[in-house]
Amino acid sequence: MKPMSGVAVTKGNTAPGTDDALVVLKNVNKHFGALHVLQDIDLTIRRGEVVVVIGPSGSGKSTLCRAINRLEAIDSGEIAIDGRPLPAEGRELAALRADVGMVFQSFNLFAHKTVLQNVTLGQIKVRKKDKKEAEDRARALLERVGVTTQADKYPAQLSGGQQRVAIARALAMEPKVMLFDEPTSALDPEMINEVLEVMQQLARDGMTMVVVTHEMGFARSAANRVVFMSDGRIVEETTPDEFFTNPRSDRAKDFLSKILHH
Amino acid sequence: MRETVFDFLEGYDLLGAFWVTVQLTLYSAVGSLIWGTLLAAMRASPVPLMRGFGAGYVNVVRNIPLTVIIVFTSLGLFQTLGVSLGADDFGTINFRLAVLGLIAYTSAFVCEALRSGINTVPVGQSEAARAIGLSFPQVLSLIVLPQAFRSVVGPLANVLIALTKNTTVAAAIGVAEAATLMREMIENEAQLILISALFAFGFICLTLPTGLFLGWVSKKVAVRR
């Protein structure tokens, strides 16, 4: 399927494979009751691109992130991943979700399974790998995110490192794109950097990432593009440099003045 | 002295009768656990037809007295419709019909206990499970139900104890379990209080350890969050 050129309004984008659209949202709308949380969202994410979505609370950024793997169903519009439109509920949707990694604000590690089992489950049940192969890969991933020694603990026994385990669990599926829904918002301050470092490394390795976050440092250093949302709309969409030094909209200026100057 | 007090026991197969009670309980427990789990799965499913069936079943069955259900299995299923569940003699037919009735009834309560357990599993657990590409049956069987079961061992113990005592209703269709023998002994013997006390004690011997054991299991398997 031909990627839709002209949908994205990015300027000065340095992302690789400029025409290689991986995630395409077209005219997406979503309501929660009377609240219009996503309004005519058009967004294209290219292979290897790191897109950071920022904006005030209630601006729809988490909903946008969750809509991409259909944890939130949309009311109208189209979402396609790697050229395939998002299927409705069922096996096809499950297969597509396996290709889309998701990291949640509240980790959501499987509470009745050990760290290792958390990382092997999807490989065994969805990717149909044998147990040994899945465990080897899980241990390698846990080492990559720096929680090797915790493999046999249960999530409730971890003091820190949950989010890195959650990242390893998502990576174990060998996803085409990773979605991060405020991955550091529920962390102790000293844990935030560990998680951000793992994410930085992922970005350097060329992973396609959509990151909803309040970490402006991460947006500056790792993002190819910043998407600023407010009241359910994409207000601004540009490079991090441009956004942080020269925001065009008043809404973005206001937002930045609140979070950067105090 | 001792011999004279318990003389009336002679000629009665007390252990045999309680053994039938135990068998009724075990078969019905296993059956209602399976059928109750399926019902709970239906009630949690995204398919409206299944949800409707699950809800309808539970609300109809749990509101019918067990005696009516048990008597229906005999008068309705067997004598009218000729359902004999693969058995030839009346004893076996009635036993199987009683198990069927007890499963049909108890599973409604198992379903509701499990459903309350499902509600204790945070929604993020199933979201994370769906996000790694598990199908609905996998999300339910690998993530949600295992956690739900662990949180409802206590309530399920209640259901099991109630089931043990409910097996006495099988006497209504002549299954030779403890209550049937008790009725027979009360008719033939004079020691009424002693007989009642004996059977009460017998049931306590069955249910008390069940409750204590499952209480211990409940603490042991609880999911830490």
Side-chain angles (χ1 to χ4, degrees):
Chain A
M1 187 175 150
K2 206 76 190 122
M4 279 140 284
S5 49
V7 172
V9 293
T10 322
K11 285 178 194 166
N13 193 322
T14 54
T18 317
D19 266 332
D20 199 5
L22 184 58
V23 180
V24 178
L25 290 86
K26 245 171 79 180
N27 205 18
V28 169
N29 281 280
K30 161 102 187 154
H31 297 79
F32 282 132
L35 189 66
H36 199 168
V37 276
L38 295 180
Q39 305 184 25
D40 304 321
I41 300 289
D42 287 317
L43 182 66
T44 301
I45 294 142
R46 296 178 185 81
R47 220 173 286 275
E49 197 179 18
V50 177
V51 173
V52 168
V53 183
I54 57 181
S57 311
S59 59
K61 53 195 193 310
S62 275
T63 309
L64 173 73
C65 189
R66 290 162 57 84
I68 293 176
N69 67 355
R70 211 174 187 279
L71 284 180
E72 299 288 353
I74 56 173
D75 298 336
S76 67
E78 284 168 32
I79 300 178
I81 292 172
D82 210 3
R84 288 167 51 207
L86 219 55
E89 294 293 336
R91 298 221 161 255
E92 253 183 283
L93 178 63
L96 184 130
R97 278 176 176 150
D99 289 338
V100 179
M102 176 109 191
V103 175
F104 299 85
Q105 179 177 347
S106 50
F107 327 130
N108 296 343
L109 293 177
F110 305 134
H112 63 308
K113 297 202 173 286
T114 65
V115 164
L116 191 70
Q117 289 168 339
N118 263 276
V119 186
T120 55
L121 184 75
Q123 300 184 68
I124 295 169
K125 299 292 178 183
V126 179
R127 297 289 189 225
K128 309 292 179 199
K129 287 187 184 172
D130 66 59
K131 193 166 171 240
K132 175 78 175 61
E133 194 186 348
E135 281 184 358
D136 288 348
R137 179 167 170 76
R139 287 190 196 280
L141 282 168
L142 289 174
E143 192 176 337
R144 183 166 157 195
V145 300
V147 286
T148 337
T149 54
Q150 323 274 338
D152 296 320
K153 287 187 179 172
Y154 285 88
Q157 296 170 314
L158 295 178
S159 58
Q162 285 99 331
Q163 196 59 295
R164 284 178 290 155
V165 174
I167 293 173
R169 175 175 69 181
L171 288 175
M173 305 305 292
E174 301 175 66
K176 292 174 181 165
V177 52
M178 287 276 284
L179 310 174
F180 294 83
D181 185 7
E182 302 203 27
T184 56
S185 298
L187 292 171
D188 288 346
E190 67 260 42
M191 306 293 173
I192 291 177
N193 277 336
E194 295 172 346
V195 171
L196 290 178
E197 266 165 38
V198 170
M199 290 169 61
Q200 295 269 15
Q201 186 58 49
L202 269 179
R204 282 195 291 272
D205 292 347
M207 175 62 75
T208 310
M209 294 161 68
V210 178
V211 185
V212 174
T213 187
H214 294 295
E215 296 294 331
M216 297 305 145
F218 178 83
R220 266 180 196 277
S221 60
N224 299 108
R225 190 153 42 121
V226 168
V227 169
F228 176 72
M229 285 186 75
S230 176
D231 301 321
R233 290 181 184 281
I234 294 181
V235 179
E236 223 165 297
E237 195 182 342
T238 180
T239 60
D241 267 356
E242 179 81 9
F243 180 75
F244 287 110
T245 55
N246 189 21
R248 282 166 296 164
S249 63
D250 290 343
R251 194 68 193 81
K253 283 175 193 165
D254 180 50
F255 177 76
L256 285 173
S257 73
K258 277 177 186 154
I259 58 163
L260 295 178
H261 305 298
H262 61 78
Chain B
M1 170 73 189
R2 199 167 168 201
E3 271 170 35
T4 49
V5 171
F6 287 99
D7 252 359
F8 69 93
L9 285 175
E10 214 154 289
Y12 296 109
D13 187 7
L14 202 59
L15 285 180
F18 268 105
W19 174 236
V20 175
T21 296
V22 169
Q23 283 177 309
L24 277 174
T25 307
L26 287 180
Y27 286 121
S28 308
V30 171
S32 55
L33 201 61
I34 293 169
W35 181 224
T37 304
L38 287 172
L39 284 170
M42 286 185 209
R43 294 203 72 173
S45 101
V47 184
L49 194 69
M50 288 179 125
R51 276 207 306 276
F53 174 81
Y57 181 95
V58 167
N59 283 312
V60 169
V61 170
R62 74 172 170 188
N63 290 308
I64 301 176
L66 179 58
T67 315
V68 174
I69 292 175
I70 295 287
V71 168
F72 170 79
T73 61
S74 179
L75 298 183
L77 284 185
F78 175 55
Q79 290 176 29
T80 310
L81 299 173
V83 178
S84 61
L85 301 173
D88 300 322
D89 62 297
F90 280 116
T92 316
I93 292 173
N94 284 341
F95 178 85
R96 291 186 183 177
L97 287 169
V99 169
L100 183 70
L102 285 165
I103 290 174
Y105 180 78
T106 312
S107 56
F109 295 90
V110 170
C111 169
E112 289 308 274
L114 252 183
R115 216 158 59 91
S116 74
I118 289 174
N119 291 336
T120 68
V121 180
V123 67
Q125 294 285 310
S126 59
E127 282 186 350
R130 283 189 280 155
I132 61 170
L134 296 176
S135 62
F136 173 77
Q138 285 177 320
V139 173
L140 207 59
S141 62
L142 297 171
I143 304 300
V144 176
L145 282 179
Q147 294 186 45
F149 266 114
R150 285 156 196 247
S151 68
V152 294
V153 175
L156 283 179
N158 281 339
V159 174
L160 183 59
I161 288 170
L163 168 65
T164 310
K165 296 182 292 179
N166 284 343
T167 57
T168 53
V169 177
I173 58 171
V175 178
E177 45 69 71
T180 305
L181 181 66
M182 183 176 85
R183 192 183 298 172
E184 189 187 330
M185 286 172 73
I186 285 174
E187 270 171 29
N188 300 337
E189 307 295 332
Q191 292 85 340
L192 299 185
I193 293 178
L194 211 52
I195 291 170
S196 305
L198 195 67
F199 280 91
F201 178 73
F203 273 96
I204 289 174
C205 286
L206 292 180
T207 53
L208 200 63
T210 308
L212 291 174
F213 173 70
L214 289 177
W216 174 79
V217 170
S218 162
K219 286 200 188 94
K220 184 103 178 152
V221 300
V223 179
R224 288 179 60 199
R225 300 204 184 275

